[in-house]
Amino acid sequence: MAYTYIWPTTLPQSPQKGFSESIGALIIRTPMDAGPAKERYRGRRPSTMDLTFIMKTAQVADLETWIVNTLRGTARFGFPHPRTATVVEARIVPQGDGELFKTTYIAPGYWNISLVFEILP
């Protein structure tokens, strides 16, 4: 594994609010004049995970500091995969105009945090 950083232990280790995963492969599909299209396998593509955590205000501050100052938004890190219970190599996928994570207010002191991770093959 080529990561130097690990998901902080001060943050939730699994998403409490939601998790979805997209798994696939790099496949070239060529249409034929007659009959079904031909397909060729080109390799694995990174899987993606949409994660939603519930965090306290202090945890959100820790997350922001870790992402902005430690990872600088781009570094790879080890993350405990919610489905496989193994540590995988991940990085954050920016959304829209470079949005690294989204915060939504729940109640005093509690926030929904939404992120998208790319799990590297």
Side-chain angles (χ1 to χ4, degrees):
M1 293 190 191
Y3 60 85
T4 306
Y5 307 106
I6 302 279
W7 180 256
T9 56
T10 57
L11 301 178
Q13 297 301 297
S14 62
Q16 311 93 321
K17 197 72 170 144
F19 164 72
S20 66
E21 185 175 21
S22 171
I23 302 169
L26 299 173
I27 295 174
I28 294 178
R29 192 172 164 87
T30 307
M32 299 288 110
D33 290 338
K38 300 268 186 202
E39 292 184 341
R40 293 179 304 181
Y41 177 79
R42 295 284 300 205
R44 292 189 60 198
R45 74 167 179 84
S47 299
T48 57
M49 292 191 304
D50 293 330
L51 305 154
T52 305
F53 296 94
I54 298 172
M55 293 189 192
K56 295 179 181 179
T57 302
Q59 290 176 311
V60 176
D62 289 348
L63 177 68
E64 182 176 7
T65 299
W66 185 69
I67 288 175
V68 173
N69 297 334
T70 304
L71 298 180
R72 300 185 63 78
T74 61
R76 298 172 179 208
F77 57 93
F79 180 75
H81 193 288
R83 181 177 54 82
T84 64
T86 61
V87 175
V88 294
E89 184 177 3
R91 64 181 168 195
I92 297 171
V93 179
Q95 302 299 302
D97 294 329
E99 173 186 290
L100 295 173
F101 66 95
K102 184 175 186 156
T103 351
T104 308
Y105 176 79
I106 300 175
Y110 291 92
W111 305 86
N112 260 350
I113 305 298
S114 302
L115 305 110
V116 177
F117 287 173
E118 182 175 59
I119 305 305
L120 301 161

